[in-house]
Amino acid sequence: MKRKDKRNSLREGVFSLIFLLSTLLLSAQNVTVRGTVTDETGETVIGATVIVEGNAAQGTTTDYDGNYVLNNVPANGNLVFSYVGMESQIVPVNGRATINVTMASDTELLQEVVVTALGIQRQSKTLTYAAETVGGDKVADVKSVNVINSLQGKSAGLVITPNSTGAGGASKILLRGNKSINGNNQPLIVVDGVPLMNTTNGQVSSNWGGERDGGDAMSTINPDDIASISILKGASAAALYGAVAANGAIMITTKSAQSGKARIQFSSNTTIETPMVLPKFQTTYGASADNLTSWGSKLSTPSKNYVKDYFQMGYTLNNSISISGGSDVMQGYLSYGNITSTGITPKNDFKSHTFNSKVAFNLFNKALEVDFSARYVTQDVKNGAASGFLFNPLTGAYLFARGADWDGYKNEFEKWDITRNINTQNLINIQEQYQNPYWMVNRMVPHSKRDRFEFGGGAKWNILENLNIAARLKYERSEERFVNNLYASSFRYPMGRMKDERYWGHQYYGDLLLNYNTNLTDDITLATTVGTSFTDYRAENVGLWAEGEQAKIADGKVTGNIWFPNVFIPTNFYSNMASQGYSHKRLNSVFGTAQIGLFEKAYIDVTARNDWSSALAYTPNISFFYPSIGGNILLNELMNMGDNVNLLKLRASYSIVGNDIPVYLTNLRYTLKGGGVIEAPSSAPFKDLKPEKTHSKEIGIDGTFFRNRMNVNLTLYRTNTINQFFSIASPYPTGLRNRYINAGDVQNQGVEATVSYITEFTPDFNWATNLNFSYNDNKIIKLTDELKDGASLAGYGGAQMKLVEGGSYGDLYVKYLEKDDKGALKLNKDGLPIVSGQDDFMIGNLNAKIHLGWSNTFNYKDVTLSFLIDGKIGGKALSMTEATLDGWGVSERSGKARDEGGVVVNGTKVDAQAYYETVGAKNFNTNYPAAEYVYNATNFRMREISLGYTFRKLINNSSDLSLSLIGRNLFFIYKDAPMDPDVSASINNGWQGVDIFALPTTRSFGLNVKINF
């Protein structure tokens, strides 16, 4: 036995030596490798990349016959074969001189998974409606403080208009136009399948402005936490969410940990901001006799441009770090993000901190999956901008009299008042809409402190391989404290004013889903989900307000209200005014969806949902039912269309969804006022209230061509929203002011198209381009017979957004300069133009019908250049700012008119001051001819640009460092309006396209750093 063991050992040693020598021999020599690359059908693949693994510089591409030749290939090395739209392959050489490869289509591209309503995942080829997925990197590379703004121009049919309030402000989001006249027009925001509480408190609702911007939920999301965003554009796509998703949905999927070793990601984004476009001012004519306006005589030396001096360079630091990892049993994800932003106006600061954690467990051999998540966000906003005339330092900065002592008022915005023993505002001729801007940012400081808490969890029991039951529960709470104390000598407040308001929002959401997927036959598949959900939302607010004259005691009686100036505590006021609000709404639902697949060539989708809303209490309509149906056909599966057609899908869908309605309309409440006074409601209870309903029809075609190099999507849609909600005047004998009705029909129809293409010039150089286009035509089919003259949705002094049957949502009606039959201006006895008495001339629509976006990305080895151009064609923009600059004599045009001896009217020159004081505006109450200040809103801009380089494998194979120079809103390629026409005074209905001393859009550029290890 010992002799045999020795022989075996000797034999094994010899074989090992031979193997070692042969391995060394192979590794010591290089070979020439040639071969042919074909696809699954046997067709040759032209332009496939063949490189030596680990050496990207040593490679080649296949010729027109699919052949390749590669010299000096290590005999024991590997070759990497790749081609756009096909699965890459790594093939060992093993000393061979000929290697032929058959490449398969990349099924992941054809079977892209899209997150749909309720977080249900579907293959994109099975969808029967329009949906688009945007990768998380698209919003994390060139960041915006509000993450939704990073989607501007990146999806057809998605229109985003940021508020003119700077960091921390809300943004108006529209998908396929405005549908509701008085209701909500924004899409539902969903995070990881759960609707997000999206309260938007304190929005501008008048041209005098002054209201705060309470922000929105999107501004609380860390862009580095986002894995992907699915945009469900139509009612059909979001039908499963029922009454809260008539306007589509934006589905955000956040990052989760994967099993494996811990992974750390760090991102730092630093940008500086400057105003993108400012009004043009005259600097040659000085102050009037009243030291208020600038209609004075010519200055001996031009004054400086005070506005450029007022605005400063802003900066934003946006940092984020995340840690993830775990085992097959437990995975965790933890992230922290912070934003520090200093605005372009003095003393404007924004700070935000976001903490996010997720943990998941796979128990009992993955039979039970459990996850928990928690998120906390805190924001602090000081001196946030506010559109409008009041409480807006921009009015003082823009209207400051030319030639006056700007530096003196800047450096000494307050002076000691020896008679009062306090500092008071330093400015001559203080007006309601005109105060020292430096006093305002130091002594009239609006301050918001916001906190948001989210806790949630879910569990899924995999009963069978194709059957599971899942449950989710989430609680959200938002808190905000808004303080806006005004120091003594602020206009109207000689002793100052105290204002302290607090807001709370609470939302509970829960759902239970039963999911079942099966093959009914070899050729028919079924995917079903049935479930139930509830949403319970409460909002509360309280406020303290106190103002008045100096408090004194005479004969035992108190007169006035304030004991000491600038002491902002309730006990300093003899009496305080208080306000309190509360609302509570609950929505209970049952729903179901089924998708039937036929031979993997066609799919049919049906959904049904029934909602019970507490807002419908005291009405016979206690619930409402929403169905939808859709289907598609994969033409490329029905017939052989050749190698260049990878997917060609026709789809169509129809749905009915609702738009939830306000609470407490069906049984109006009495109000307890101060002093124990009980006030009766002024409106009649709406006992037959119905929710708005949107009927949506959609057809489309999706195609993938040239081995997945080109993608084409085209959608045609029409929506009709009926049962619009109106408040109209009640007959006088009823003793009520208003009553509510359901009426009207608003129609939106249009087209959305997207085309993308990838070109691979060389193995190291490629170009990806994407063009998106949307057209939306809005029409008010019907209002109500009780509003024969239409209804005004918003007023802007000499203009209003008016709804008229046969017109469109956003039609702008204006006052104008009257003309005679020959087109000449009518003049009064002083030879000045006559302003119309009514704002009844429809000059255009505030909404553009066409929106476009064109993105491009060039990759050369580890260098990446990307840019995005977007814009809109059509629409109008109104600037009350320009009208006021004219009325106060500070605009460039008013200066030029004086240089030229006046303004030519009907061939005769009219005094410039008299003309512009007639045509321009003096304050928010001016009924000026707004037609003179309406501009075409067509514009195109360089929205984003990024140039970066990635350093690979710095520490290990998974450690990369990316450095990018980034820019946003760099310049306009074309613009007609004197301001940014994509302006929004508020996210309220009817306030987009209106500029009333809005904060200028900022141009930003800086550096983005990303590290993975």
Side-chain angles (χ1 to χ4, degrees):
M1 289 293 293
K2 291 183 180 180
R3 185 176 300 172
K4 285 186 178 181
D5 289 341
K6 289 181 179 179
R7 289 176 181 175
N8 290 337
S9 299
L10 180 62
R11 186 182 300 112
E12 291 173 359
V14 171
F15 285 147
S16 298
L17 180 61
I18 293 173
F19 177 77
L20 178 62
L21 289 175
S22 61
T23 301
L24 291 173
L25 184 62
L26 284 173
S27 63
Q29 64 181 358
N30 292 335
V31 297
T32 297
V33 181
R34 64 187 71 237
T36 303
V37 178
T38 58
D39 62 16
E40 297 163 300
T41 65
E43 295 290 329
T44 57
V45 179
I46 303 170
T49 300
V50 187
I51 63 172
V52 176
E53 187 179 36
N55 184 6
Q58 187 179 359
T60 186
T61 57
T62 57
D63 59 21
Y64 284 100
D65 296 319
N67 299 322
Y68 72 93
V69 177
L70 200 56
N71 298 316
N72 298 317
V73 178
N76 66 335
N78 295 325
L79 294 182
V80 180
F81 296 81
S82 61
Y83 187 77
V84 175
M86 292 188 167
E87 295 178 352
S88 298
Q89 291 189 37
I90 300 176
V91 180
V93 177
N94 290 335
R96 292 179 291 171
T98 301
I99 299 178
N100 297 321
V101 171
T102 299
M103 301 188 71
S105 297
D106 190 342
T107 55
E108 290 186 0
L109 289 175
L110 296 177
Q111 300 179 11
E112 176 190 7
V113 174
V114 177
V115 178
T116 66
L118 297 173
I120 300 171
Q121 295 185 348
R122 293 276 191 258
Q123 291 181 10
S124 61
K125 71 176 184 179
T126 70
L127 299 182
T128 62
Y129 45 75
E132 188 171 353
T133 298
V134 178
D137 59 319
K138 300 299 182 183
V139 297
D141 289 344
V142 183
K143 295 179 182 176
S144 176
V145 174
N146 190 331
V147 67
I148 194 65
N149 297 337
S150 296
L151 287 178
Q152 287 177 293
K154 295 177 181 176
S155 176
L158 175 64
V159 179
I160 300 167
T161 311
N163 235 353
S164 305
T165 51
S171 291
K172 182 73 171 184
I173 312 170
L174 280 181
L175 283 167
R176 298 182 177 176
N178 293 280
K179 303 176 184 67
S180 178
I181 291 175
N182 288 300
N184 179 33
N185 278 298
Q186 301 218 108
L188 180 69
I189 307 299
V190 181
V191 176
D192 293 330
V194 176
L196 195 65
M197 181 177 65
N198 189 21
T199 53
T200 51
N201 295 315
Q203 293 294 313
V204 168
S205 58
S206 63
N207 59 326
W208 56 84
E211 294 96 339
R212 68 190 181 91
D213 181 352
D216 59 16
M218 292 298 296
S219 66
T220 69
I221 297 176
N222 179 1
D224 288 306
D225 284 338
I226 296 176
S228 67
I229 300 175
S230 295
I231 303 170
L232 308 183
K233 299 181 180 181
S236 297
L240 272 180
Y241 284 115
V244 292
N247 305 305
I250 296 179
M251 311 287 298
I252 298 173
T253 301
T254 61
K255 294 178 181 177
S256 299
Q258 305 294 326
S259 59
K261 66 178 182 179
R263 185 173 179 83
I264 301 174
Q265 295 181 313
F266 172 76
S267 172
S268 180
N269 188 288
T270 304
T271 57
I272 57 177
E273 288 89 30
T274 59
M276 188 180 186
V277 58
L278 291 173
K280 295 181 178 180
F281 297 90
Q282 65 90 3
T283 58
T284 55
Y285 293 88
S288 306
D290 59 3
N291 286 307
L292 184 64
T293 60
S294 295
W295 289 112
S297 58
K298 196 161 189 174
L299 299 170
S300 57
T301 58
S303 67
K304 64 180 179 180
N305 188 333
Y306 306 124
V307 171
K308 287 187 176 179
D309 188 57
Y310 178 73
F311 287 113
Q312 62 188 17
M313 182 178 292
Y315 72 86
T316 299
L317 302 177
N318 195 327
N319 301 302
S320 178
I321 187 170
S322 66
I323 303 173
S324 62
S327 64
D328 290 338
V329 176
M330 185 186 77
Q331 304 88 41
Y333 177 87
L334 178 67
S335 72
Y336 164 70
N338 68 62
I339 300 173
T340 300
S341 179
T342 296
I344 59 175
T345 56
K347 305 289 186 176
N348 171 224
D349 296 300
F350 172 81
K351 293 181 176 63
S352 173
H353 300 272
T354 303
F355 301 86
N356 188 28
S357 64
K358 300 174 73 174
V359 61
F361 300 91
N362 298 316
L363 306 174
F364 308 114
N365 198 24
K366 297 186 178 181
L368 180 63
E369 301 173 26
V370 182
D371 65 86
F372 301 96
S373 64
R375 191 166 73 100
Y376 169 65
V377 182
T378 180
Q379 295 181 340
D380 191 281
V381 188
K382 291 182 179 178
N383 268 315
S387 292
F389 282 84
L390 306 187
F391 302 102
N392 187 351
L394 289 189
T395 57
Y398 283 13
L399 302 177
F400 188 82
R402 310 296 97 168
D405 185 13
W406 172 270
D407 291 332
Y409 290 123
K410 173 183 178 181
N411 298 326
E412 288 187 87
F413 60 84
E414 60 186 2
K415 283 190 173 182
W416 182 257
D417 187 332
I418 194 170
T419 62
R420 302 185 63 187
N421 290 321
I422 60 171
N423 283 318
T424 58
Q425 182 176 181
N426 182 24
L427 186 68
I428 297 177
N429 212 338
I430 297 172
Q431 303 288 313
E432 186 173 29
Q433 72 275 5
Y434 177 76
Q435 301 189 62
N436 186 323
Y438 292 98
W439 166 271
M440 297 184 74
V441 299
N442 285 279
R443 298 292 181 256
M444 298 172 62
V445 181
H447 184 194
S448 293
K449 179 68 170 64
R450 308 168 186 163
D451 294 285
R452 188 181 183 98
F453 309 85
E454 298 177 15
F455 306 96
K460 184 170 74 171
W461 176 26
N462 297 305
I463 304 171
L464 300 172
E465 184 179 356
N466 57 351
L467 175 66
N468 66 73
I469 187 170
R472 291 177 295 206
L473 186 65
K474 186 176 184 180
Y475 170 71
E476 299 175 66
R477 176 183 174 92
S478 65
E479 301 177 358
E480 180 177 7
R481 182 182 183 186
F482 176 70
V483 176
N484 191 10
N485 298 323
L486 310 184
Y487 276 61
S489 75
S490 299
F491 185 81
R492 282 190 178 176
Y493 302 103
M495 288 291 291
R497 184 202 73 182
M498 180 190 71
K499 185 177 184 180
D500 192 335
E501 298 175 336
R502 310 196 184 193
Y503 302 83
W504 296 270
H506 315 257
Q507 179 170 290
Y508 291 91
Y509 174 88
D511 62 28
L512 181 66
L513 309 177
L514 180 66
N515 304 291
Y516 179 64
N517 302 319
T518 187
N519 293 334
L520 299 178
T521 70
D522 291 340
D523 298 314
I524 300 177
T525 62
L526 174 66
T528 62
T529 297
V530 294
T532 181
S533 70
F534 75 90
T535 303
D536 193 285
Y537 172 74
R538 286 180 294 147
E540 305 170 69
N541 67 80
V542 296
L544 276 180
W545 179 298
E547 60 185 66
E549 303 294 333
Q550 174 74 55
K552 298 178 182 178
I553 301 177
D555 298 328
K557 296 181 179 180
V558 177
T559 60
N561 192 46
I562 303 176
W563 300 110
F564 304 102
N566 306 332
V567 178
F568 304 109
I569 58 175
T571 52
N572 186 47
F573 299 86
Y574 181 69
S575 64
N576 295 274
M577 293 173 282
S579 63
Q580 184 174 10
Y582 176 84
S583 66
H584 184 194
K585 179 188 287 189
R586 186 178 178 95
L587 190 71
N588 295 330
S589 308
V590 293
F591 46 79
T593 179
Q595 184 182 86
I596 300 173
L598 305 173
F599 306 94
E600 294 190 355
K601 295 177 174 58
Y603 295 87
I604 298 173
D605 256 336
V606 292
T607 72
R609 176 171 172 130
N610 201 87
D611 288 339
W612 290 263
S613 175
S614 63
L616 294 175
Y618 305 101
T619 75
N621 308 300
I622 61 172
S623 71
F624 31 99
F625 176 72
Y626 302 130
S628 76
I629 186 169
N632 71 35
I633 299 175
L634 305 181
L635 299 179
N636 61 299
E637 296 290 345
L638 290 176
M639 62 190 77
N640 184 3
M641 294 185 171
D643 299 335
N644 289 325
V645 180
N646 305 104
L647 173 70
L648 186 61
K649 177 177 72 174
L650 290 178
R651 51 181 168 78
S653 62
Y654 174 76
S655 66
I656 302 175
V657 295
N659 198 4
D660 209 358
I661 30 71
V663 293
Y664 307 135
L665 295 182
T666 60
N667 189 29
L668 298 177
R669 299 170 296 174
Y670 283 73
T671 306
L672 178 62
K673 296 291 186 179
V677 177
I678 298 177
E679 183 177 271
S682 60
S683 299
F686 198 177
K687 294 297 186 180
D688 56 349
L689 173 63
K690 301 174 184 177
E692 295 179 352
K693 281 195 175 183
T694 296
H695 295 251
S696 175
K697 303 171 185 177
E698 177 183 316
I699 61 172
I701 183 170
D702 302 322
T704 304
F705 309 98
F706 309 118
R707 294 187 172 92
N708 300 313
R709 288 179 180 270
M710 175 182 282
N711 286 280
V712 178
N713 307 97
L714 177 67
T715 301
L716 305 175
Y717 63 86
R718 174 184 288 181
T719 64
N720 288 84
T721 302
I722 61 174
N723 294 340
Q724 297 279 346
F725 171 74
F726 290 98
S727 173
I728 62 175
S730 287
Y732 181 78
T734 65
L736 299 170
R737 292 182 181 179
N738 303 293
R739 62 190 178 90
Y740 301 106
I741 62 171
N742 282 122
D745 180 358
V746 176
Q747 178 176 282
N748 286 273
Q749 58 183 350
V751 58
E752 298 164 349
T754 302
V755 179
S756 62
Y757 192 80
I758 300 175
T759 301
E760 197 171 64
F761 299 108
T762 71
D764 298 320
F765 184 32
N766 63 70
W767 167 43
T769 185
N770 179 287
L771 177 66
N772 67 73
F773 165 90
S774 65
Y775 171 87
N776 183 77
D777 181 55
N778 178 282
K779 188 174 182 179
I780 300 174
I781 303 297
K782 186 174 178 57
L783 281 178
T784 170
D785 293 338
E786 300 183 67
L787 294 172
K788 295 184 181 298
D789 296 326
S792 179
L793 190 61
Y796 329 107
Q800 62 174 318
M801 198 195 103
K802 190 174 180 181
L803 307 169
V804 176
E805 195 167 297
S808 298
Y809 193 111
D811 283 346
L812 182 63
Y813 286 76
V814 296
K815 290 182 183 292
Y816 51 91
L817 299 179
E818 294 186 359
K819 296 181 180 181
D820 60 24
D821 295 339
K822 296 180 180 180
L825 289 175
K826 293 182 180 181
L827 306 178
N828 61 20
K829 60 184 178 59
D830 297 320
L832 295 172
I834 298 174
V835 180
S836 66
Q838 301 294 328
D839 44 358
D840 56 1
F841 174 67
M842 204 284 281
I843 197 170
N845 194 283
L846 292 170
N847 301 302
K849 291 187 176 183
I850 297 175
H851 291 82
L852 302 103
W854 182 37
S855 61
N856 294 270
T857 300
F858 297 89
N859 290 292
Y860 178 71
K861 294 185 177 179
D862 291 321
V863 178
T864 300
L865 169 66
S866 63
F867 65 88
L868 168 65
I869 296 172
D870 75 335
K872 65 183 183 183
I873 300 174
K876 298 292 183 180
L878 169 68
S879 178
M880 198 172 182
T881 304
E882 291 290 325
T884 310
L885 300 185
D886 278 354
W888 285 59
V890 295
S891 65
E892 183 184 69
R893 72 178 68 87
S894 69
K896 288 182 177 179
R898 280 172 275 185
D899 291 340
E900 295 168 358
V903 180
V904 177
V905 177
N906 293 345
T908 303
K909 284 191 176 180
V910 175
D911 178 71
Q913 180 177 354
Y915 177 85
Y916 281 114
E917 285 188 339
T918 300
V919 173
K922 295 299 292 291
N923 53 51
F924 55 80
N925 290 320
T926 304
N927 289 317
Y928 63 104
E932 302 298 307
Y933 300 97
V934 174
Y935 307 94
N936 291 326
T938 298
N939 73 93
F940 289 90
R941 75 186 73 200
M942 181 62 72
R943 177 70 70 180
E944 290 181 1
I945 191 167
S946 173
L947 175 62
Y949 184 82
T950 301
F951 299 87
R952 307 286 183 186
K953 302 179 181 180
L954 292 180
I955 301 174
N956 51 45
N957 289 335
S958 60
S959 61
D960 297 329
L961 168 65
S962 297
L963 301 176
S964 301
L965 297 173
I966 57 175
R968 182 172 173 81
N969 285 325
L970 291 184
F971 56 86
F972 282 102
I973 298 170
Y974 173 82
K975 177 176 68 73
D976 177 64
M979 75 296 190
D980 184 350
D982 293 346
V983 65
S984 178
S986 165
I987 67 169
N988 285 343
N989 293 339
W991 287 91
Q992 291 71 57
V994 180
D995 168 30
I996 308 176
F997 290 94
L999 184 72
T1001 300
T1002 56
R1003 172 192 296 113
S1004 63
F1005 43 93
L1007 178 68
N1008 189 34
V1009 180
K1010 287 187 176 182
I1011 304 174
N1012 301 322
F1013 53 91

